[in-house]
Amino acid sequence: MLPADAQFDEQMMRRAIRLAMNGRGRVEPNPMVAAVIVKDGRVIGEGFHAQFGGPHAEPTALSSLTESAEGATAYVTLEPCCHTNKKTPPCVPALIEARLARVVVGCVDPNPDVNGKGLEMLRAAGIAVDVNVLEDPAKQLIAPFIAHTVYDRPYVTLKWAETADGKVAGRDGKPLQITSEKASRLVHQLRARCDAIMIGIGTAMIDDPLLTAREAPEPRPLMRVVLDSQLRLPMESKLVRTARQHRVLVEFDRRLAEAERDKLNALQQAGVQPFMVERRFDGLNLEQVLTPLAHFGATHVLVEAGPTVASSFFHEQTLADRVWLFRSPNAVNEPTAPAGVGVPANYVKTGETEIDGDHLTEYLNPSSPVFFAAEPSADFVLATG
Ligand SMILES: NC(=O)c1ccc[n+]([C@@H]2O[C@H](COP(=O)([O-])OP(=O)(O)OC[C@H]3O[C@@H](n4cnc5c(N)ncnc54)[C@H](OP(=O)(O)O)[C@@H]3O)[C@@H](O)[C@H]2O)c1
Ligand SMILES: [Zn+2]
């Protein structure tokens, strides 16, 4: 048992972590952050980072105060910032000016411009600082930010839907609407919060998807990415035809750059951005595939994975961070329908819910470098209310 004070600290940090999740899909490539200000055991102000370029969590919390913060404690999910080479003024001076007695921090900011300097400045101003309260959940909250900042790649979510008998498509692989309307809406909301959506050329050829976020109130600019070693993506596909409105990247085998010059030119003329990567025995090098996405600012890629792409990601062991698996109660009963791949046995289940009869399970990959705690993600928490 933790002492009562430590328990209270964790309770307030939990509250801050949940509050921070409200920024999901709007603050990226920044991390989700929230602050809760407490005096004499009462919450007197709180706020979260709500929009990229908008105020940070700490000034938002300070501006919501119902009384003076003098002598109060601020619980902040991430180390407050002290650097000035960014859009908004640094938060540490604002916390000092508010005359707080104590600042409790979830985790240190991995951004090299901060990384402990914010804590030092607070301490130098005479504020008591406690760090790493619920450190692992606080890091899990910002796993996509850590993936981008420290590992130079976006966070990777694999998502697919299966029938009750484990199939991912209909007869001979023909497209099949597997889940309910409500589950599809959830997927569109998830797309709207991610920065990039990736598919394999198998899915592109069969389903000819558009991969935009429909029905989302404020969709973000999306990157649509196709893994297509041989540059087979048809010029008449929906993706190519809409490449001027929504970015399309096609990643292909670098050895084909000469031989496929005409196709490359045609794709570029249509507004598609081709990227050369290495091809290995089982497909494009997935680590290399992710790099251009990170360089375009993507912190989170949603892979709408066919079985072939899903198995490659699982084969890599450390590149897939999360799985969202929808399972419908209906069977397709078609021997020629392709089967889904199983989620690796070591993956940890972090959430389960029913959506109009469909079952959604969230898993995290414990071998990912950005796995810190078996906590449901912000996407999952927001989806399930
Ligand atoms: N139920 C669902 O949620 C869902 C989701 C997606 C797809 N699907 C269904 O799944 C079927 C398509 O799946 P699929 O397995 O045939 O194809 P896929 O996984 O969509 O694409 C596989 C292809 O992508 C290319 N690729 C390039 N790099 C790769 C890499 N590192 N790893 C794996 N593939 C790589 C390969 O073609 P190249 O060698 O030419 O590059 C490979 O054959 C369709 O029937 C579709 O409807 C269902
Ligand atoms: Zn800040």
Side-chain angles (χ1 to χ4, degrees):
M1 275 286 275
L2 286 171
D5 287 359
Q7 265 184 38
F8 183 76
D9 284 351
E10 291 203 355
Q11 197 186 327
M12 290 300 111
M13 191 58 76
R14 275 264 161 230
R15 177 172 173 142
I17 288 173
R18 173 61 189 88
L19 184 62
M21 290 177 175
N22 296 330
R24 170 71 181 124
R26 297 203 179 89
V27 300
E28 293 82 2
N30 281 347
M32 290 173 262
V33 187
V36 174
I37 303 174
V38 174
K39 197 164 167 177
D40 304 328
R42 289 169 297 114
V43 173
I44 59 166
E46 59 188 341
F48 63 97
H49 184 35
Q51 188 72 49
F52 181 72
H56 283 188
E58 299 89 330
T60 308
L62 290 171
S63 68
S64 80
L65 284 170
T66 51
E67 57 191 273
S68 155
E70 186 164 359
T73 298
Y75 295 87
V76 193
T77 55
L78 179 69
E79 176 182 7
C81 66
C82 54
H83 54 309
T84 46
N85 56 341
K86 59 180 177 58
K87 287 186 170 240
T88 48
C91 296
V92 165
L95 292 171
I96 296 172
E97 205 174 300
R99 307 172 71 84
L100 291 159
R102 182 173 172 238
V103 174
V104 181
V105 172
C107 64
V108 173
D109 190 340
N111 176 351
D113 288 338
V114 188
N115 207 244
K117 295 192 194 84
L119 305 177
E120 272 169 39
M121 278 173 72
L122 289 168
R123 287 191 179 115
I127 296 177
V129 177
D130 286 303
V131 69
N132 298 342
V133 170
L134 290 187
E135 179 186 13
D136 292 338
K139 282 181 163 169
Q140 192 61 47
L141 170 74
I142 58 163
F145 175 73
I146 299 177
H148 193 244
T149 317
V150 179
Y151 298 97
D152 201 25
R153 70 159 171 87
Y155 193 78
V156 175
T157 293
L158 303 188
K159 175 241 115 189
W160 73 91
E162 280 183 16
T163 60
D165 49 346
K167 307 292 189 165
V168 298
R171 178 187 305 180
D172 300 322
K174 290 280 170 312
L176 180 70
Q177 180 59 42
I178 294 175
T179 49
S180 67
E181 258 310 295
K182 198 161 174 204
S184 307
R185 248 196 327 272
L186 208 69
V187 168
H188 279 274
Q189 285 163 3
L190 178 62
R191 281 182 177 177
R193 294 192 195 111
C194 292
D195 311 290
I197 304 181
M198 179 183 284
I199 56 168
I201 187 65
T203 302
M205 301 293 274
I206 293 176
D207 296 0
D208 189 21
L210 186 57
L211 301 182
T212 53
R214 294 185 286 278
E215 300 180 50
E218 299 162 59
R220 296 150 54 76
L222 259 186
M223 269 178 253
R224 300 170 298 161
V225 186
V226 188
L227 305 184
D228 181 12
S229 313
Q230 317 292 322
L231 291 168
R232 289 188 282 149
L233 184 65
M235 293 304 294
E236 62 280 8
S237 61
K238 290 193 186 118
L239 286 169
V240 174
R241 283 194 281 123
T242 57
R244 296 217 176 274
Q245 290 97 62
H246 305 282
R247 193 172 223 166
V248 175
L249 315 186
V250 169
E251 307 215 42
F252 71 101
D253 180 350
R254 64 165 66 251
R255 289 170 303 187
L256 297 188
E258 278 304 313
E260 293 292 340
R261 184 166 292 218
D262 290 347
K263 177 75 187 261
L264 282 169
N265 280 340
L267 286 170
Q268 276 172 315
Q269 294 274 310
V272 172
Q273 291 174 275
F275 279 88
M276 296 191 286
V277 300
E278 242 168 54
R279 192 186 148 89
R280 301 170 316 183
F281 64 99
D282 62 344
L284 299 171
N285 178 325
L286 290 177
E287 223 174 297
Q288 287 183 15
V289 152
L290 295 174
T291 310
L293 310 191
H295 292 173
F296 280 128
T299 56
H300 200 146
V301 57
L302 178 65
V303 185
E304 304 210 351
T308 312
V309 163
S311 0
S312 294
F313 269 100
F314 291 146
H315 193 242
E316 287 293 332
Q317 287 171 25
T318 57
L319 282 187
D321 300 302
R322 178 174 77 158
V323 171
W324 267 28
L325 174 56
F326 289 89
R327 201 179 288 270
S328 131
N330 310 315
V332 54
N333 296 318
E334 260 304 337
T336 61
V341 293
V343 176
N346 66 324
Y347 277 41
V348 199
K349 198 185 283 182
T350 50
E352 264 185 297
T353 190
E354 291 290 322
I355 304 142
D356 258 10
D358 296 316
H359 195 82
L360 167 63
T361 313
E362 176 177 86
Y363 302 85
L364 298 184
N365 174 8
S367 310
S368 148
V370 290
F371 173 84
F372 306 103
E375 298 273 331
S377 68
D379 290 315
F380 190 86
V381 170
L382 295 174
T384 51

